[in-house]
Amino acid sequence: MDNVMSASTSVGSDALYDTPWRDKSVKWQPRKRTIFFNTHDDIISNLEQFVRLSLDSREGKALALFLAGLFLSVIGLTRIGGLLEILGFLSLFKGATILRHLKRVKPLQPIFENAAVKQFMLSMEEEKTRESLKQDIENYRPIHDFLSSDTRFPRVNILLMGPIGVGKSSFFNTINSIFRGKIFGVARSGSSEHSLTTKFRQYPVISKSNSNKEMGFRICDTMGLEPNHLMEKDNMRYILNGHIEDKFLLDPSRAVAPNTPGFLKQPKLEDQIHCTAIVLDASTVDAADAIKDTIQNIKDMQTVMNSLDVPQVVILTCIDKVCKQTKIDPSNALKSKLIDKTVAKVSEMLGLPQNCIFPVKNYEKECELDPNVDILALLALKGILNSADAFLSLHRDEMDKYQS
């Protein structure tokens, strides 16, 4: 495998495109907020509704800060009033936007050509992108576009599956770390001759910045696939249909009996798997023949998923082993010609479109969070949640059960 990789990276093919082969700045459309004024309510009630919805947005909070500062300045508390005015202004436009406007001022342009200033602005843009993606996912509500205001689906379930040692548990730990604000390992991960995951696990993700609440998705981890422990079709069907509960001792190669403790006989839609993420090591794609039995087993499981209309995406880990430029800076992943080609190979191998294949770098050696690592993981998670919503849209007729 090492020989294969050295051959593919030694001819200068790890060069970067001038522009990204995938746009990382694409955002979900924000949910529209509509204010309904009820003519039967008094003016105070309608005003309360207006204020509440206004303060629910960043712009509303910034404007409130600015107006509070203005009021304090008028009544003589100029110092604290001026401070609140500045905070409101900065909150509204954010630092990166202010710098972008200053860059257009001709006398200041030589300053912005300085390498250190360029790096500083780039880091601010990266931080802004990460926070935007992170906030979108924190606000995620399953299939909210199709639901009435009094209907709320509890969460979506994301299944991770793939060969042993490709980084399934590490991907969950990476996602968990992003929303905890620090390197935070919950799932067992690392290198071992056999899979470190021995049970079917369902992990909620808790956001530190959102009052430590569980978010609208759960990540389900399975035992890694290897030649003597390949997945049986019936077991995969049980998992996808929601029969397997958390902490179920599951060997994918052994048949599961319906009378086994932890087997849910009548699962609901909320118990099912709503999207499967197939996790592969990018550095082994060129040498896929070495694990051809495992790859064939994954393809066989895809037929089960397709029969149940469960969407699939691919999480492509270890991209820093494929491209030297990405190892230096993870933000180069979306400009790397090598990673672009690897994505194309996986697309052909598993029969999935390239926009369903997401390159990521898991946290393994790092002790601190890196915005560029986070952005790749958040883009992958965003794509997964979109696919899960697509699955749920096929079950709109079952949503009446979730009315409050």
Side-chain angles (χ1 to χ4, degrees):
M1 184 180 70
D2 291 340
N3 291 336
V4 172
M5 288 312 304
S6 61
S8 65
T9 58
S10 61
V11 292
S13 56
D14 57 342
L16 303 178
Y17 292 121
D18 292 332
T19 57
W21 52 267
R22 179 175 294 166
D23 187 4
K24 70 179 181 182
S25 64
V26 175
K27 297 181 181 179
W28 286 341
Q29 291 296 323
R31 191 185 310 178
K32 294 181 180 178
R33 291 179 170 87
T34 306
I35 301 175
F36 297 100
F37 289 107
N38 192 335
T39 55
H40 299 291
D41 291 341
D42 56 27
I43 296 176
I44 299 299
S45 299
N46 284 323
L47 185 60
E48 284 178 356
Q49 182 192 181
F50 175 77
V51 171
R52 186 175 67 254
L53 291 176
S54 297
L55 292 179
D56 197 32
S57 65
R58 177 175 61 83
E59 293 82 359
K61 292 173 183 174
L63 184 60
L65 271 177
F66 183 82
L67 291 176
L70 198 60
F71 173 75
L72 291 175
S73 297
V74 169
I75 64 173
L77 300 175
T78 53
R79 288 189 179 180
I80 189 170
L83 179 60
L84 288 179
E85 289 174 35
I86 293 171
L87 285 175
F89 181 78
L90 292 177
S91 298
L92 181 61
F93 292 104
K94 297 248 179 165
T97 307
I98 293 171
L99 286 175
R100 201 159 49 241
H101 287 298
L102 290 176
K103 190 177 178 181
R104 297 174 184 170
V105 181
K106 284 189 177 181
L108 298 178
Q109 286 178 355
I111 298 175
F112 289 98
E113 293 301 318
N114 182 276
V117 175
K118 280 185 175 180
Q119 183 59 40
F120 175 71
M121 289 191 66
L122 181 62
S123 65
M124 290 193 71
E125 288 292 344
E126 291 164 353
E127 185 65 32
K128 183 180 179 182
T129 300
R130 173 174 66 174
E131 290 307 310
S132 176
L133 288 167
K134 188 177 171 184
Q135 188 175 28
D136 279 345
I137 294 172
E138 285 175 333
N139 294 334
Y140 169 74
R141 296 292 179 268
I143 199 175
H144 73 267
D145 291 339
F146 291 94
L147 302 182
S148 59
S149 58
D150 61 343
T151 305
R152 181 165 176 171
F153 192 77
R155 75 188 70 81
V156 296
N157 297 317
I158 303 161
L159 176 67
L160 302 181
M161 70 165 293
I164 181 176
V166 294
K168 297 186 301 299
S169 300
S170 294
F171 176 70
F172 165 71
N173 286 335
T174 296
I175 294 296
N176 208 27
S177 296
I178 294 170
F179 291 100
R180 296 308 298 169
K182 60 184 178 182
I183 302 298
F184 201 78
V186 173
R188 294 182 63 198
S189 62
S191 300
S192 176
E193 183 180 353
H194 299 289
S195 179
L196 291 175
T197 303
T198 57
K199 299 177 182 179
F200 178 76
R201 291 307 317 268
Q202 297 174 332
Y203 295 112
V205 179
I206 298 172
S207 172
K208 180 181 177 182
S209 58
N210 193 19
S211 304
N212 288 323
K213 293 180 181 178
E214 291 186 12
M215 290 191 286
F217 61 93
R218 191 165 54 183
I219 296 179
C220 306
D221 198 6
T222 58
M223 185 176 180
L225 303 176
E226 50 186 320
N228 295 327
H229 293 279
L230 298 176
M231 182 71 75
E232 292 288 332
K233 284 189 176 181
D234 284 342
N235 288 353
M236 175 53 67
R237 195 170 286 107
Y238 286 146
I239 293 172
L240 295 176
N241 282 330
H243 291 286
I244 308 301
E245 293 186 329
D246 187 30
K247 299 182 181 179
F248 189 96
L249 193 60
L250 177 67
D251 184 336
S253 62
R254 294 183 181 180
V256 174
N259 58 353
T260 305
F263 186 93
L264 190 62
K265 293 186 178 181
Q266 293 183 325
K268 302 175 183 177
L269 180 60
E270 64 193 79
D271 301 313
Q272 297 176 23
I273 297 299
H274 308 113
C275 180
T276 299
I278 300 167
V279 186
L280 295 177
D281 183 336
S283 66
T284 65
V285 170
D286 283 338
D289 286 344
I291 55 171
K292 61 181 180 180
D293 292 340
T294 305
I295 296 298
Q296 183 57 50
N297 185 237
I298 291 173
K299 291 180 179 180
D300 292 341
M301 295 309 104
Q302 284 184 278
T303 62
V304 179
M305 298 171 203
N306 292 334
S307 70
L308 297 172
D309 294 322
V310 177
Q312 305 125 51
V313 304
V314 175
I315 304 296
L316 210 52
T317 64
C318 303
I319 55 174
D320 50 321
K321 295 180 182 177
V322 173
C323 174
K324 295 176 182 177
Q325 299 285 354
T326 300
K327 185 175 183 179
I328 296 170
D329 183 355
S331 68
N332 289 327
L334 301 183
K335 287 186 176 182
S336 168
K337 294 182 178 180
L338 268 177
I339 294 177
D340 187 17
K341 290 177 181 177
T342 304
V343 167
K345 288 178 182 177
V346 172
S347 172
E348 183 179 357
M349 181 171 65
L350 295 181
L352 294 173
Q354 292 189 30
N355 61 5
C356 289
I357 300 169
F358 301 95
V360 303
K361 181 190 179 306
N362 289 329
Y363 284 115
E364 293 172 348
K365 299 178 181 178
E366 296 81 1
C367 296
E368 298 290 338
L369 297 181
D370 180 341
N372 288 311
V373 172
D374 294 355
I375 287 169
L376 293 175
L378 291 170
L379 284 172
L381 182 55
K382 175 179 168 181
I384 292 170
L385 296 177
N386 283 339
S387 295
D389 274 357
F391 172 81
L392 288 175
S393 70
L394 302 175
H395 298 266
R396 295 194 301 275
D397 56 332
E398 301 179 45
M399 291 299 165
D400 291 342
K401 304 172 185 176
Y402 297 98
Q403 287 184 344
S404 56

